[in-house]
Amino acid sequence: MTVTVPSSWAELVEDLMAEGVLNEPWRSAFLAVPRELFIPEVIWREDGDGLVALHRAENPQEWLRQAYGPRYVITQVDDGTPAGPDGRGRVPTSSASRPDIVALMLAAGQVKPGMRVLEIGTGTGYTAALLAHYLGASNVTTIEIDPELAARARTALSTAGYGEVTVIIGDGACGHPAGAPFDRVLSTVAAPRVPYPWVAQTRPGGLVVTPWGSAYKHAGLLSFTVHADGSATGGLVNTTISFMELRDQRIPWPEITDVVRDTDISELTYTDLHAAEVCNDDAPVAIALQVPGCHREYVPATDDEGHWCVWFLDAGTRSWARFDYQPGARRWPVHQFGPRRLWDEIATAYQHWEHLGRPAATSWRFTITADHQQASR
Ligand SMILES: C[S@@+](CC[C@H](N)C(=O)[O-])C[C@H]1O[C@@H](n2cnc3c(N)ncnc32)[C@H](O)[C@@H]1O
């Protein structure tokens, strides 16, 4: 099938090369694989607090602009059934990732000719096609949990000439034992807990690469080397990207009103730890590792005096804390409610991080075995 790729795509590819984000052989793959074959006729765009459909037939120019643009393209909402009013979507549940992030993930995978790769999260099939272009389609296996997306990706891969890619419908967290061992497992879905089957199904010396994060921070990209004893060790190789999570590891993003009631009687204490300290730089990764299930929400000032606050929320135990910033103060009030004292947990994690010498996010060493996962210094 012949597709005329817009010149803007070649420009974007050259920009990514100039920025050092994209390298050969992926530049050739980016230019050879027609991205639009993988983008569905209906995509979704952010509009206010919802997601609205954009049909290719209704606005082909805009559709093409999105398909070949520098941003991610939302390709499914709400697991396939738009849940908002008037056919709007609420939550993106599949997307073609941003081209620079695809490039970054492929580079982190250190894929070489002759390798066999398992991709988790087929989505559109575009990343699988890039891998197939470089490695040969028969060396690529990809798993998608959503049967409709998997079927669509399979068709797109065939149309683009990569029909020999193995597309599995299933839970990527289980990997694909029948195809193991792989040289690489590359996940394009975030795994707050890295599924051990990915390690078990990678040959010793191979790599597992996956986005990772927690409610406190979407932390970036983890890369693990698998060892002969069945363990894997690694760390963050990027601290900025964020991805949707594996379906059964989705992180709830509660509204403040989901957790906080007017009738809650909170405990008031004062702190000299500024909320900015626990929300910026490398501290959030350290806190994310030690304070599970805690989501944070900054509420900017609405008054002339510049009062703002940060909420810390755990919907699971209905615990919350609120840091109230008051300009000019040296100590600030903190209200806490519920079985967890979230601010106390955060402050303890922060002090531990300081005690360790404020380690960079990339300096934590992650270990995975069949029984446990931990991060240490
Ligand atoms: C960001 S998209 C992946 C983008 C894709 N690599 C591409 O090139 O278009 C994440 C995908 O992971 C899928 N997914 C979520 N949980 C999964 C799971 N447990 N197993 C397999 N796929 C999963 C989602 O349905 C979604 O299609």
Side-chain angles (χ1 to χ4, degrees), residues 9-351:
W9 179 250
E11 284 163 24
L12 193 147
V13 167
E14 296 317 323
D15 287 350
L16 294 178
M17 288 290 286
E19 289 162 23
V21 178
L22 187 66
N23 292 302
E24 287 294 1
W26 301 114
R27 173 181 177 272
S28 305
F30 268 54
L31 292 173
V33 176
R35 193 164 154 87
E36 71 187 90
L37 289 184
F38 295 88
I39 307 290
E41 299 292 301
V42 180
I43 60 177
W44 298 81
R45 288 187 300 173
E46 276 127 14
D47 176 52
D49 59 357
L51 299 163
V52 288
L54 169 66
H55 295 253
R56 181 175 192 170
E58 287 169 12
N59 193 345
Q61 277 184 339
E62 180 56 21
W63 186 94
L64 273 176
R65 211 173 64 80
Q66 299 283 332
Y68 286 105
R71 298 197 65 221
Y72 58 85
V73 182
I74 300 170
T75 51
Q76 188 200 58
V77 295
D78 306 322
D79 294 330
T81 310
D86 307 325
R88 282 171 164 249
R90 282 194 203 280
V91 184
T93 46
S94 190
S95 62
S97 307
R98 259 171 40 193
D100 59 337
I101 288 183
V102 175
L104 203 142
M105 293 204 60
L106 290 168
Q110 299 176 37
V111 177
K112 307 269 181 332
M115 286 185 172
R116 296 180 61 252
V117 175
L118 174 64
E119 183 204 19
I120 312 295
T122 313
T124 61
Y126 179 66
T127 309
L130 295 172
L131 287 163
H133 181 82
Y134 179 44
L135 296 174
S138 60
N139 287 318
V140 180
T141 302
T142 180
I143 310 183
E144 170 57 54
I145 201 162
D146 187 298
E148 278 183 31
L149 294 178
R152 215 198 146 274
R154 208 176 262 145
T155 305
L157 283 161
S158 289
T159 309
Y162 306 113
E164 276 187 63
V165 170
T166 304
V167 181
I168 309 280
I169 301 170
D171 183 356
C174 304
H176 181 52
F182 297 96
D183 297 287
R184 300 286 186 262
V185 173
L186 305 182
S187 177
T188 56
V189 213
R193 276 172 284 105
V194 180
Y196 183 70
W198 298 356
V199 174
Q201 293 170 28
T202 301
R203 68 162 179 79
L207 295 180
V208 174
V209 178
T210 181
W212 172 82
S214 78
Y216 199 80
K217 165 121 178 85
H218 274 293
L221 199 59
L222 273 177
S223 173
F224 294 95
T225 302
V226 174
H227 306 295
D229 66 0
S231 68
T233 51
L236 286 163
V237 292
N238 165 284
T239 56
T240 56
I241 63 162
S242 72
F243 268 76
M244 55 189 69
E245 299 94 18
L246 287 164
R247 263 196 196 179
D248 71 352
Q249 291 198 33
R250 281 181 180 157
I251 296 172
W253 296 100
E255 301 285 335
I256 296 167
T257 49
D258 293 338
V259 183
V260 181
R261 309 263 188 282
D262 289 344
T263 49
D264 290 346
I265 299 171
S266 59
E267 181 186 274
L268 170 64
T269 52
Y270 286 82
T271 181
D272 55 9
L273 176 60
H274 194 297
E277 295 286 331
V278 301
C279 293
N280 293 327
D281 301 327
D282 289 318
V285 167
I287 295 169
L289 287 166
Q290 294 171 75
V291 185
C294 176
H295 170 73
R296 62 195 154 110
E297 180 111 10
Y298 166 68
V299 180
T302 50
D303 58 17
D304 294 338
E305 282 126 53
H307 292 100
W308 49 260
C309 71
V310 185
W311 290 89
F312 302 91
L313 308 163
D314 170 21
T317 62
R318 209 169 82 66
S319 302
W320 58 263
R322 193 185 72 227
F323 172 98
D324 290 319
Y325 177 73
Q326 298 172 346
R330 296 224 171 129
R331 297 172 74 232
W332 299 276
V334 173
H335 291 265
Q336 300 190 78
F337 174 84
R340 292 180 72 184
R341 288 291 182 262
L342 290 174
W343 178 260
D344 296 351
E345 287 186 37
I346 289 164
T348 303
Y350 179 84
Q351 279 148 15

